[in-house]
Amino acid sequence: AAGVIQSPRHLIKEKRETATLKCYPIPRHDTVYWYQQGPGQDPQFLISFYEKMQSDKGSIPDRFSAQQFSDYHSELNMSSLELGDSALYFCASSLAYEQYFGPGTRLTVT
Amino acid sequence: QQQVKQSPQSLIVQKGGISIINCAYENTAFDYFPWYQQFPGKGPALLIAIRPDVSEKKEGRFTISFNKSAKQFSLHIMDSQPGDSATYFCAASLDAGGTSYGKLTFGQGTILTVHP
Protein backbone atom coordinates (compact mmCIF):
# COMPACT_ATOMS: atom_id res chain seq x y z
CA ALA A 1 0.00 0.00 0.00
CA ALA A 2 1.13 3.53 -0.76
CA GLY A 3 2.49 5.49 2.17
CA VAL A 4 3.26 9.10 2.96
CA ILE A 5 6.44 10.26 1.25
CA GLN A 6 8.69 12.93 2.71
CA SER A 7 11.75 14.55 1.23
CA PRO A 8 14.49 15.06 1.92
CA ARG A 9 15.03 12.45 4.60
CA HIS A 10 18.00 14.30 6.07
CA LEU A 11 18.87 17.96 5.89
CA ILE A 12 21.77 19.89 7.35
CA LYS A 13 21.57 23.66 7.42
CA GLU A 14 23.42 26.47 9.10
CA LYS A 15 21.89 29.05 11.39
CA ARG A 16 19.89 31.76 9.60
CA GLU A 17 19.53 29.62 6.46
CA THR A 18 16.22 28.50 4.92
CA ALA A 19 14.87 24.97 4.56
CA THR A 20 11.98 23.51 2.58
CA LEU A 21 10.46 20.17 3.54
CA LYS A 22 8.11 18.34 1.21
CA CYS A 23 5.29 15.91 1.90
CA TYR A 24 3.34 13.73 -0.53
CA PRO A 25 0.22 12.31 1.16
CA ILE A 26 -1.33 8.93 0.56
CA PRO A 27 -3.38 9.11 -2.68
CA ARG A 28 -6.95 10.40 -2.13
CA HIS A 29 -6.16 11.66 1.36
CA ASP A 30 -7.40 15.24 1.65
CA THR A 31 -5.80 16.37 4.92
CA VAL A 32 -2.15 16.92 5.71
CA TYR A 33 -0.65 17.56 9.14
CA TRP A 34 2.86 18.65 10.11
CA TYR A 35 4.44 17.68 13.44
CA GLN A 36 7.80 18.44 15.04
CA GLN A 37 9.48 15.93 17.34
CA GLY A 38 12.48 16.85 19.44
CA PRO A 39 14.82 14.20 20.91
CA GLY A 40 12.99 12.11 23.49
CA GLN A 41 9.82 14.18 23.02
CA ASP A 42 6.34 13.46 21.75
CA PRO A 43 5.34 14.89 18.36
CA GLN A 44 4.03 18.44 18.56
CA PHE A 45 1.44 19.67 16.07
CA LEU A 46 2.51 22.55 13.83
CA ILE A 47 -0.12 23.09 11.16
CA SER A 48 -2.71 21.27 9.05
CA PHE A 49 -4.44 21.64 5.71
CA TYR A 50 -7.78 20.30 4.54
CA GLU A 51 -8.58 20.47 0.83
CA LYS A 52 -5.71 22.92 0.30
CA MET A 53 -6.90 25.35 2.97
CA GLN A 54 -5.23 25.82 6.34
CA SER A 55 -7.47 24.07 8.86
CA ASP A 56 -5.59 24.45 12.14
CA LYS A 57 -2.42 25.99 13.52
CA GLY A 58 -0.40 24.96 16.53
CA SER A 59 2.79 26.27 18.08
CA ILE A 60 4.39 27.10 14.75
CA PRO A 61 6.93 29.94 14.78
CA ASP A 62 6.24 32.93 12.56
CA ARG A 63 9.47 31.99 10.74
CA PHE A 64 7.72 28.88 9.45
CA SER A 65 5.07 28.80 6.74
CA ALA A 66 3.36 26.01 4.88
CA GLN A 67 0.94 25.39 2.07
CA GLN A 68 -0.86 22.58 0.31
CA PHE A 69 -0.83 22.54 -3.45
CA SER A 70 -3.43 21.53 -6.04
CA ASP A 71 -1.98 17.99 -6.21
CA TYR A 72 -2.36 17.81 -2.39
CA HIS A 73 1.35 17.71 -1.67
CA SER A 74 2.47 20.09 1.05
CA GLU A 75 5.62 22.06 1.76
CA LEU A 76 6.89 23.41 5.07
CA ASN A 77 9.14 26.43 4.65
CA MET A 78 11.44 27.35 7.50
CA SER A 79 13.45 30.58 7.47
CA SER A 80 16.07 32.13 9.75
CA LEU A 81 16.83 28.70 11.13
CA GLU A 82 17.88 28.42 14.76
CA LEU A 83 19.76 25.66 16.58
CA GLY A 84 16.52 24.83 18.41
CA ASP A 85 14.83 23.95 15.13
CA SER A 86 16.90 20.77 14.95
CA ALA A 87 14.34 17.98 15.16
CA LEU A 88 12.45 15.32 13.27
CA TYR A 89 9.66 16.77 11.15
CA PHE A 90 6.79 14.47 10.29
CA CYS A 91 4.01 14.83 7.85
CA ALA A 92 0.83 12.80 8.30
CA SER A 93 -2.14 12.43 6.01
CA SER A 94 -5.71 11.33 6.55
CA LEU A 95 -9.01 10.84 4.81
CA ALA A 96 -11.05 10.68 8.03
CA TYR A 97 -9.76 10.41 11.58
CA GLU A 98 -6.89 7.94 11.08
CA GLN A 99 -3.60 9.74 10.55
CA TYR A 100 -0.73 7.98 8.80
CA PHE A 101 2.74 9.31 9.31
CA GLY A 102 5.60 9.57 6.87
CA PRO A 103 9.18 8.52 7.64
CA GLY A 104 10.13 12.07 8.61
CA THR A 105 12.82 14.58 7.73
CA ARG A 106 15.68 14.92 10.19
CA LEU A 107 16.74 18.57 10.22
CA THR A 108 20.06 19.45 11.79
CA VAL A 109 20.92 23.12 12.22
CA THR A 110 24.59 23.86 12.89
CA GLN B 1 -0.22 21.80 30.25
CA GLN B 2 -0.17 18.21 29.09
CA GLN B 3 -3.69 17.38 27.95
CA VAL B 4 -2.87 13.69 27.63
CA LYS B 5 -0.82 12.12 30.41
CA GLN B 6 0.89 8.79 29.83
CA SER B 7 2.49 6.33 32.22
CA PRO B 8 4.82 4.67 32.84
CA GLN B 9 7.68 6.54 31.20
CA SER B 10 9.51 3.24 30.68
CA LEU B 11 8.55 -0.40 31.01
CA ILE B 12 10.56 -3.61 31.02
CA VAL B 13 8.76 -6.87 30.37
CA GLN B 14 9.88 -10.45 29.86
CA LYS B 15 9.11 -12.22 26.60
CA GLY B 16 5.62 -13.67 26.74
CA GLY B 17 4.46 -11.23 29.39
CA ILE B 18 1.76 -8.57 29.26
CA SER B 19 2.71 -4.93 28.69
CA ILE B 20 0.27 -2.33 30.02
CA ILE B 21 0.49 1.38 29.27
CA ASN B 22 -1.98 3.90 30.64
CA CYS B 23 -3.22 7.30 29.50
CA ALA B 24 -5.52 9.91 30.97
CA TYR B 25 -7.00 12.88 29.18
CA GLU B 26 -8.52 16.19 30.22
CA ASN B 27 -10.62 17.37 27.30
CA THR B 28 -13.99 15.61 27.28
CA ALA B 29 -14.47 16.73 23.66
CA PHE B 30 -11.84 14.25 22.51
CA ASP B 31 -13.56 11.46 20.61
CA TYR B 32 -10.81 9.50 18.92
CA PHE B 33 -8.00 7.73 20.77
CA PRO B 34 -5.22 6.06 18.77
CA TRP B 35 -2.03 4.34 19.86
CA TYR B 36 1.17 4.69 17.86
CA GLN B 37 4.35 2.61 17.85
CA GLN B 38 7.60 4.33 17.00
CA PHE B 39 11.03 2.85 16.40
CA PRO B 40 14.13 5.09 16.67
CA GLY B 41 14.43 7.45 13.72
CA LYS B 42 11.16 6.25 12.17
CA GLY B 43 7.72 7.74 11.86
CA PRO B 44 4.96 6.79 14.31
CA ALA B 45 2.93 3.84 13.03
CA LEU B 46 -0.76 3.56 13.84
CA LEU B 47 -1.35 0.42 15.93
CA ILE B 48 -4.94 0.50 17.07
CA ALA B 49 -7.56 3.14 17.86
CA ILE B 50 -10.85 3.43 19.69
CA ARG B 51 -13.87 5.73 19.76
CA PRO B 52 -15.62 6.47 23.10
CA ASP B 53 -18.76 4.53 22.20
CA VAL B 54 -17.00 1.22 22.96
CA SER B 55 -15.15 0.10 26.09
CA GLU B 56 -12.72 -2.31 24.50
CA LYS B 57 -11.18 -3.07 21.12
CA LYS B 58 -8.89 -5.96 20.29
CA GLU B 59 -6.67 -6.46 17.25
CA GLY B 60 -4.37 -9.46 17.44
CA ARG B 61 -2.15 -9.13 20.52
CA PHE B 62 -3.13 -5.48 21.07
CA THR B 63 -6.14 -4.41 23.13
CA ILE B 64 -7.38 -0.95 24.05
CA SER B 65 -9.51 -0.56 27.17
CA PHE B 66 -11.47 2.67 27.46
CA ASN B 67 -13.12 4.17 30.55
CA LYS B 68 -15.08 7.25 29.54
CA SER B 69 -16.20 8.20 33.05
CA ALA B 70 -12.63 8.11 34.36
CA LYS B 71 -11.26 9.73 31.19
CA GLN B 72 -8.67 6.97 30.92
CA PHE B 73 -7.60 4.46 28.32
CA SER B 74 -4.92 1.84 28.20
CA LEU B 75 -3.00 -0.39 25.80
CA HIS B 76 -2.43 -4.04 26.61
CA ILE B 77 0.14 -6.01 24.60
CA MET B 78 -0.32 -9.72 25.16
CA ASP B 79 2.50 -12.24 24.69
CA SER B 80 5.04 -9.41 24.38
CA GLN B 81 7.94 -10.09 22.02
CA PRO B 82 11.43 -8.55 21.72
CA GLY B 83 10.30 -7.08 18.39
CA ASP B 84 7.71 -5.05 20.29
CA SER B 85 10.51 -3.06 21.92
CA ALA B 86 9.77 0.52 20.85
CA THR B 87 8.30 3.78 22.08
CA TYR B 88 4.53 3.81 22.36
CA PHE B 89 2.46 6.98 22.26
CA CYS B 90 -1.17 7.38 23.12
CA ALA B 91 -2.97 10.28 21.47
CA ALA B 92 -6.33 11.98 21.26
CA SER B 93 -8.14 14.15 18.76
CA LEU B 94 -11.56 15.56 18.05
CA ASP B 95 -13.71 16.30 15.07
CA ALA B 96 -12.54 19.59 13.55
CA GLY B 97 -15.76 20.05 11.63
CA GLY B 98 -16.69 19.22 8.09
CA THR B 99 -14.98 16.02 7.01
CA SER B 100 -11.61 16.95 8.45
CA TYR B 101 -10.35 15.57 11.73
CA GLY B 102 -8.23 17.60 14.08
CA LYS B 103 -4.68 17.50 15.27
CA LEU B 104 -3.38 14.69 17.44
CA THR B 105 -2.43 15.54 21.03
CA PHE B 106 0.13 13.00 22.19
CA GLY B 107 1.06 11.58 25.54
CA GLN B 108 4.68 11.76 26.63
CA GLY B 109 5.51 8.27 25.39
CA THR B 110 6.51 4.97 26.99
CA ILE B 111 9.75 3.23 26.13
CA LEU B 112 8.99 -0.50 26.15
CA THR B 113 11.79 -3.05 26.40
CA VAL B 114 10.95 -6.72 26.05
CA HIS B 115 13.70 -9.03 27.24
CA PRO B 116 14.15 -12.40 25.50
Side-chain angles (χ1 to χ4, degrees), chain A:
Chain A
V4 176
I5 297 171
Q6 290 188 246
S7 68
R9 296 293 311 280
H10 302 273
L11 193 56
I12 300 175
K13 292 286 186 179
E14 294 186 356
K15 283 194 306 183
R16 294 180 289 277
E17 285 192 320
T18 297
T20 297
L21 279 54
K22 297 184 178 183
C23 168
Y24 298 85
I26 293 171
R28 292 181 295 281
H29 281 195
D30 53 16
T31 307
V32 167
Y33 309 80
W34 286 96
Y35 294 86
Q36 177 191 57
Q37 186 177 32
Q41 303 293 315
D42 55 287
Q44 295 292 313
F45 171 73
L46 292 176
I47 194 167
S48 62
F49 294 86
Y50 168 62
E51 283 292 346
K52 292 157 280 185
M53 298 287 288
Q54 182 179 309
S55 54
D56 196 3
K57 196 171 182 180
S59 303
I60 184 170
D62 292 340
R63 302 177 288 108
F64 293 8
S65 65
Q67 58 182 323
Q68 186 178 32
F69 295 85
S70 57
D71 64 351
Y72 291 93
H73 95 272
S74 178
E75 294 184 4
L76 177 65
N77 297 292
M78 311 161 67
S79 63
S80 302
L81 287 169
E82 301 174 357
L83 295 178
D85 296 328
S86 296
L88 271 168
Y89 290 84
F90 292 106
C91 167
S93 75
S94 73
L95 183 59
Y97 43 83
E98 295 178 335
Q99 293 187 27
Y100 297 92
F101 283 71
T105 294
R106 181 176 295 280
L107 173 66
T108 302
V109 182
T110 62

Side-chain angles (χ1 to χ4, degrees), chain B residues 28-51:
Chain B
T28 56
F30 285 144
D31 62 356
Y32 172 67
F33 303 89
W35 284 90
Y36 284 85
Q37 178 190 59
Q38 186 178 29
F39 293 103
K42 305 296 184 183
L46 181 61
L47 263 181
I48 186 172
I50 198 167
R51 306 293 296 277

